[in-house]
C-alpha cells in the first residue's frame, strides 16, 4: 500500500472516530478529558443542566467548548451562591430531577446525600487539597482572600503591612467595604491570631474605619475599581484581577492570613443526565478547561496551567495561607459572628 493511500485510510478512520465522539472532522484526536464509553452514554442522554455561580461571560464560553467537543447541548443556570443553596434544597425536598452538575463555592456545604461520589480521571492532576476525601466534590478554581485598593486613590506606599496597622488608618473611615458574607476571612483571622486578638483587631477596624457592608464580591471588586470605595478590607484576589484585566484602577496586596477555599464541582445524586454530568466534571478539571479560567483572572487548580498574572501564586503564597472548608452548620456559626462584629454600633 502506498504512503498516500495509507495516509488517506488513517484520515478516514480518525474522521469516523471524531464523528463518533462528537468532534468535528477537522479534529482527529479527542480531547484529553474525553472518556469514549462515558461520552457514548452521555450523548444518548442528550443534554446537560448546569447550576453555577460563575458569571455568564466566563461560564458560557467554557460550556460552549464542552458542547463543541461532545455534541451535548447544555442549559446554563446562573445564580449567586446563596440562591443556589436555596434552590437545590427546595428542589430536593420536592424530589425534582432538575440539575446535573453544580459549580459554586457552596458545593461542599450541600448535604452529602445531594452529591454523587465520582472519580474523574483528570482529578489526579489537580492539587491534593482541592479533592474531597469523600469524592463528592473537586476544586475547579481557587479563591484566595486579600484586601484590594483603588490604584488612583490610594498610594501603594500607604498600604498597611498587617491588619493591626489597617485598623489604625482612620483617614479611610467610610471609604472601605467588605462583603457581608466574608465568614471564611473571619475564620482565618481567628485561626491565625487567636480568638482574643482577632476579635480586638476586627472590633478596632469596625470602630475606626466604619466599613460598608456590600452584597456580592464581584460588585465589590467593580466598585473599588471604579473608585466608589477606596479599598476592600477583603475580597477574592481573582475578582480584583478580573476587574484589573478589564481596565479597572485596582489591584490587591497580600496580608497575613490569606484565607483559601475553592469553587467546586459536584454531581447531583438525582441527576437527570448522570453520564453527561460525570463527563462534565472531568472536563472542568482538564487542562483545556483550566486554561480558559485565567483569561478572566480566575486561579486554576492545576500546576501545569499558568495563572493570570503569572506571579499570582508567588504573591499570594508569600504569606500564611489557611485553607477553610466549612460545613453548612459551621458557615452559619461564622456568618452570625461576622454579622455581630460588623453590626453598626
Amino acid at each position: 500500500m502506498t504512503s498516500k493511500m495509507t495516509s488517506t485510510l488513517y484520515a478516514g478512520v480518525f474522521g469516523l472516530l471524531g464523528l463518533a465522539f462528537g468532534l468535528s472532522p477537522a479534529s482527529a484526536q479527542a480531547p484529553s478529558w474525553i472518556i469514549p464509553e462515558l461520552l457514548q452514554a452521555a450523548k444518548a442522554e442528550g443534554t446537560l443542566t448546569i447550576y453555577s455561580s460563575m458569571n455568564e461571560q466566563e461560564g458560557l464560553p467554557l460550556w460552549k467548548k464542552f458542547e463543541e467537543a461532545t455534541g451535548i447541548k447544555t442549559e446554563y443556570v446562573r445564580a449567586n451562591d446563596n440562591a443556589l443553596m436555596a434552590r437545590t434544597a427546595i428542589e430536593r425536598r420536592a424530589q425534582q430531577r432538575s440539575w446535573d452538575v453544580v459549580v459554586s463555592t457552596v458545593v461542599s456545604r450541600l448535604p452529602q446525600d445531594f452529591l454523587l461520589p465520582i472519580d474523574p480521571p483528570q482529578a489526579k492532576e489537580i492539587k491534593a487539597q482541592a479533592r474531597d476525601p469523600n469524592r463528592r466534590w473537586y476544586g475547579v478554581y481557587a479563591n484566595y482572600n486579600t484586601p484590594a485598593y483603588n490604584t488612583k486613590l490610594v498610594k501603594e506606599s500607604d498600604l498597611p503591612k498587617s491588619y493591626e496597622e489597617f485598623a489604625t488608618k482612620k483617614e479611610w473611615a467610610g471609604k472601605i467595604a467588605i462583603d457581608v458574607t466574608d465568614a471564611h476571612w473571619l475564620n482565618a483571622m481567628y485561626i491565625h491570631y487567636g480568638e482574643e486578638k482577632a476579635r480586638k483587631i476586627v472590633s478596632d477596624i469596625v470602630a475606626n474605619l466604619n466599613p460598608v457592608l456590600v452584597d456580592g464580591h464581584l460588585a465589590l471588586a467593580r466598585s473599588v475599581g471604579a473608585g466608589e470605595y477606596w479599598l476592600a478590607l477583603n475580597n477574592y484576589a481573582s475578582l480584583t484581577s478580573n476587574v484589573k484585566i478589564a481596565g479597572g484602577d485596582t489591584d490587591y496586596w497580600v496580608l497575613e492570613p490569606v484565607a483559601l477555599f475553592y469553587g467546586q464541582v459536584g454531581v447531583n445524586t438525582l441527576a437527570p443526565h448522570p453520564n453527561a454530568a460525570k463527563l462534565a466534571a472531568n472536563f472542568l478539571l482538564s487542562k483545556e478547561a483550566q486554561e480558559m479560567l485565567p483569561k478572566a483572572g480566575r486561579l486554576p487548580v492545576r500546576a501545569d496551567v499558568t495563572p493570570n498574572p503569572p506571579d499570582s501564586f508567588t504573591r499570594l503564597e508569600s504569606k500564611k495561607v489557611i485553607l477553610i472548608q466549612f460545613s453548612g452548620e459551621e458557615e452559619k456559626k461564622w456568618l452570625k459572628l461576622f454579622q455581630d462584629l460588623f453590626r453598626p454600633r
Side-chain angles (χ1 to χ4, degrees), residues 212-228:
V212 179
L213 298 180
V214 301
D215 184 11
H217 289 90
L218 180 56
L220 173 57
R222 288 171 173 167
S223 295
V224 173
E228 181 180 352

Side-chain angles (χ1 to χ4, degrees), residues 230-298:
W230 288 23
L231 306 102
L233 177 60
N234 179 67
N235 205 351
Y236 305 158
S238 58
L239 294 181
T240 300
S241 293
N242 177 286
V243 174
K244 183 178 180 181
I245 290 167
D249 299 313
T250 189
D251 201 357
Y252 63 81
W253 82 104
V254 186
L255 293 183
E256 201 166 68
V258 178
L260 167 65
F261 61 97
Y262 291 97
Q264 310 130 12
V265 60
V267 172
N268 189 0
T269 51
L270 297 181
H273 315 105
N275 294 294
K278 292 174 188 175
L279 190 61
N282 200 45
F283 162 68
L284 289 175
L285 308 183
S286 71
K287 188 174 182 180
E288 291 92 331
Q290 290 277 303
E291 285 178 335
M292 298 182 69
L293 300 178
K295 294 176 183 178
R298 287 201 188 262

Side-chain angles (χ1 to χ4, degrees), residues 298-312:
R298 287 201 188 262
L299 296 167
V301 293
R302 290 178 65 114
D304 57 356
V305 174
T306 303
N308 182 15
D311 66 347
S312 296

